[in-house]
Amino acid sequence: MGRHSLPDDSAPARTGARRGARPRAFVLATGLVLTIAAGTVVALDSGLLPFGGPCDGEAIRLDVAASPDIAPAIKAVAKSAREEATRTDGRCLDVKVTARAAHEIADAFGQRPVDPEFQVWIPDSSLWVDRVGAERGTPLSAAGTIASSPVALGAVPQAAKSLGWPAKTYTWTELTRATASGDALHLGVADPSRSATGLLSLARISAANTKETPDRAAADTRTAATARLLNQRVADGDGQAMATLPRDGSGAEQGNPRRNQALLLSEQAAFAHNTHADDGPDLDLLYPEDGTARLDYPYTLVDNNETGPEQSRAATRFMTLLSEPAGQRTLRRHGFRAADGEADPKVVKAAGGRAPQPYSADPAEPPTVKQLQALMGMWTITVQSARLSTVVDASASMGAPAPGHNGRSRMDLAKNSLLQALTTFTSDDEIGLWKFATTLDGDKDYVELSPTERLGGRDKDGSSHRDALAGAFRALAPEPQGATGLYDTTLAAYEEARSTYASGKFNALVIVTDGTNDDVHGIGLDALVGELEKLSDPKRPVPLIALAIGPQADTSALNRIVKPTGGSTHLVSDPSQIHQVMLKAIMAAGSNGPH
């Protein structure tokens, strides 16, 4: 049985913005308070929110999707609302709460059009909401934060003692280095592509490496190395990660090589583990001294044309219940902090936190959407290893100036961006480079500039393949008389990528182009799509990732070309951002199946 007891109903949570919180969080929190206050006053004046009394007649139904960790608390508040006959628009409020993993909802909402089955979504982190917004998916409105929980490292007592807990404190880099190296202690983490806890932990590790190592390439290399270590003990999701802890205190369980003695997890997850009788040895928490990541549980309204004003007011009413003292006490009983992140001593103690661990310190500034996209791309290519054939358009149009870049050409920006992408790959990744225009090699529209080989390998002249490839990128230049031989090049490059498929790696073909096919003597679009359908093999997938630069790129044709391969087309309005779009596309393709 856990050594901690559930905290009782403590004083109402303090409202307002945390000192040092980022402005966006303050604006949202303030807007939420004002919206709730104004809406409640109007509703009371209009008789829309009567309290008490039996629920007779038709109720107003509200469907809420919530992250599995917070869903039980949300259900408890919804149950109380039914039992107390809480009303909205003169009718009882009937809230149905469904526990759904945040990444699953984000994947669904990231596609348009979508007919959402929920009017409210409460994921564990606003990063999912931001991701849907970046993908221009289902319109969402984050109304405010209802709870929070910092991310820390939980360890079973023996492991915590070996780390000097609670007296010794660590930075993120020190903590992961101490727990991820050697065989004495196994550190687990949830898959960053499926877990906000895993992704935010990786972001903090990356930020710490960047701070300690100003050289970007060196910092990225250190982060990639840590990602490889973490991947050795990665679990599909937060629940699966918790299941890897020892089931009891026996020597057999503690020494089981399949068990983890430490996990990167939220304070609330440790609280839930410690306060359940059959969850094995309690955890002690170590909080990084250079700023924790934080889950922030945004109350998110799903924009839906079919949502009427009564349901919209019901959503606001339920948000009010979650923000009121009774709702906040319910959330704390389930191990959550208030929205402002202020530490609750009873929650911290039950979760395994002790002074002088910095459990009350402000969280670090959250990463941006672009930073997270780059991290996910790095994670995908780092933990799987990649074999990428890169094909770059060298037609004359690539010499055109890019708007907003002081006359610099599309090609200049494209190759600089590709060089940035190169820094995120490891020595075990295999990357090559072709360029294409028209009739570059006799009747062929393409030429190989650098073979697809290990970046850590040596070329014939003795230089590393990474250095040789970087030189090939820098030497890229538009062909003054070159047109766009897209279709013949695509078929040849795909045939080459399929014939050199590397098992156990993420294989892909990346084509960068700014135009439409100009080779009237080559293969046609219908024939090309037919050939790609024949070449594609789901058991040995090679997704084709097309990066379309500027408005002249033929995205319609590219969409048809990539479809048989399981790939994707991405419009790049600014060539200097190719590396970010490329890593995002690799992330998406890398999560779609076996490699």
Side-chain angles (χ1 to χ4, degrees), residues 486-498 509 511 523-538 540-546 557-567:
L486 178 62
Y487 295 167
D488 279 358
T489 300
T490 298
L491 179 57
Y494 199 78
E495 287 175 335
E496 174 70 13
R498 285 288 294 113
L509 171 63
I511 294 182
I523 192 172
L525 178 59
D526 290 339
L528 171 60
V529 172
E531 289 298 317
L532 292 174
E533 289 174 344
K534 295 176 186 177
L535 287 168
S536 298
D537 181 359
R540 295 164 61 87
V542 182
L544 197 163
I545 297 170
L558 291 172
N559 284 333
R560 287 193 60 192
I561 291 169
V562 302
K563 186 175 180 180
T565 73

Side-chain angles (χ1 to χ4, degrees), residues 545 547 570-572 577-586:
I545 297 170
L547 305 182
H570 301 265
L571 183 61
V572 185
Q577 302 303 309
I578 282 177
H579 65 292
Q580 294 180 351
V581 179
M582 178 178 169
L583 292 175
K584 176 185 175 182
I586 289 173

Side-chain angles (χ1 to χ4, degrees), residues 325-336:
Q328 288 292 296
R329 286 195 295 270
T330 298
L331 286 162
R332 284 202 298 279
R333 283 197 297 269
H334 286 78
F336 294 95

Side-chain angles (χ1 to χ4, degrees), residues 310-579:
E310 290 184 346
Q311 252 185 338
S312 296
R313 286 194 290 270
T316 301
R317 180 74 184 101
F318 190 54
M319 182 170 63
T320 304
L321 296 179
L322 292 168
S323 303
E324 288 175 345
Q328 288 292 296
R329 286 195 295 270
T330 298
L331 286 162
R332 284 202 298 279
R333 283 197 297 269
H334 286 78
F336 294 95
R337 295 189 182 189
D340 63 4
E342 182 180 7
D344 184 298
K346 294 182 179 179
V347 170
V348 172
K349 183 178 180 181
R354 295 289 187 280
Q357 289 295 315
Y359 57 78
S360 61
D362 287 346
E365 186 74 9
T368 66
V369 174
K370 290 184 178 180
Q371 288 171 332
L372 291 175
Q373 288 173 344
L375 275 174
M376 276 312 308
M378 186 218 69
W379 172 265
T380 299
I381 60 180
T382 296
V383 303
Q384 296 181 22
S385 292
R387 179 177 174 82
L388 300 179
S389 301
T390 309
V391 182
V392 178
D393 191 341
S395 59
S397 59
M398 286 292 285
H405 287 278
N406 298 320
R408 298 181 69 191
S409 71
R410 294 173 179 173
M411 179 63 87
D412 287 337
L413 296 173
K415 63 186 183 183
N416 287 342
S417 191
L418 288 168
L419 284 166
Q420 289 185 60
L422 183 60
T423 65
T424 66
F425 291 87
T426 70
S427 297
D428 288 331
D429 295 315
E430 303 173 19
I431 303 178
L433 175 64
W434 290 17
K435 73 174 182 178
F436 73 97
T438 48
T439 60
L440 288 183
D441 183 10
D443 292 334
K444 293 194 300 183
D445 295 336
Y446 48 88
V447 62
E448 182 183 74
L449 300 180
S450 185
T452 305
E453 295 178 352
R454 283 184 67 252
L455 292 177
R458 295 289 170 180
D459 285 356
K460 293 180 180 179
D461 62 358
S463 63
S464 73
H465 183 59
R466 183 188 294 275
D467 290 341
L469 182 61
F473 276 130
R474 294 189 185 97
L476 281 170
E479 298 290 330
Q481 304 301 319
T484 307
L486 178 62
Y487 295 167
D488 279 358
T489 300
T490 298
L491 179 57
Y494 199 78
E495 287 175 335
E496 174 70 13
R498 285 288 294 113
S499 67
T500 57
Y501 180 88
S503 297
K505 290 181 179 287
F506 170 74
N507 292 252
L509 171 63
V510 179
I511 294 182
V512 180
T513 182
D514 74 337
T516 185
N517 183 67
D518 295 321
D519 187 355
V520 297
H521 302 293
I523 192 172
L525 178 59
D526 290 339
L528 171 60
V529 172
E531 289 298 317
L532 292 174
E533 289 174 344
K534 295 176 186 177
L535 287 168
S536 298
D537 181 359
K539 295 181 179 179
R540 295 164 61 87
V542 182
L544 197 163
I545 297 170
L547 305 182
I549 301 176
Q552 284 76 43
D554 192 350
T555 55
S556 177
L558 291 172
N559 284 333
R560 287 193 60 192
I561 291 169
V562 302
K563 186 175 180 180
T565 73
S568 55
T569 300
H570 301 265
L571 183 61
V572 185
S573 57
D574 183 351
S576 69
Q577 302 303 309
I578 282 177
H579 65 292

